[in-house]
Amino acid sequence: MPQPVPQRPPQKGKMTVMLALVTLIAAFGSSFQYGYNVSVINSPAPFMQQFYNETYQGRYSKYMDESLMTALWSLSVSFFPLGGFFGSLMVGPMVNNCGRKGTLLINNLFSIVPAILMGISKVAKTFEVIIICRIVIGICAGLSSNVVPMYLGEMSPKNLRGAIGVMPQLFITVGILAAQILGMRMILGSAEDHEEILKL
């Protein structure tokens, strides 16, 4: 009677330096931005509303009605999840055509371009750019929240899949924390900003 061939025990994957770097870069480059943009809109709200008012006053020589300000600010906040909805719908076609890595690389455009446009919005004296860019950043969040766990889960060894799989959620939380810390007026605000807000 033939003897059964002994089978080798399955080899466990190791956390290499390359795997750790890829995990950190993918999570920081996508999930961190998602968490940051979820929370970053809250702290500077008075300053942004003041900018909306000043821009409107410069165009029409009068300040906004309170109802118009409320509507514009509501759009600024709510367009982010709307963009996330569209980004989630784009996941399937983009992953099938560009792959996981390619989708994440393309997704950087949905973060870098609106960041630049929002940065020059004050110089251009236009608040409409901020509202539109919130949709684009939402698309970035919708893509990253779906593609990053998929990418990390497929490239990680089976025994490390659980540990690596929590990294996107961890970096979303870190992004929210970073936005709250950087939004503290004692850190990035100034005395002049506080005085201008109190005058309104």
Side-chain angles (χ1 to χ4, degrees), residues 49 52 68-80:
Q49 291 174 4
Y52 285 18
L68 179 58
M69 173 62 74
T70 303
L72 289 175
W73 187 246
S74 299
L75 290 176
S76 302
V77 175
S78 61
F79 272 12
F80 178 77

Side-chain angles (χ1 to χ4, degrees), residues 8 19 26 67 104 113 122 143:
R8 293 182 178 180
L19 178 59
S67 59
L104 290 176
V113 172
K122 189 169 185 178
L143 282 168

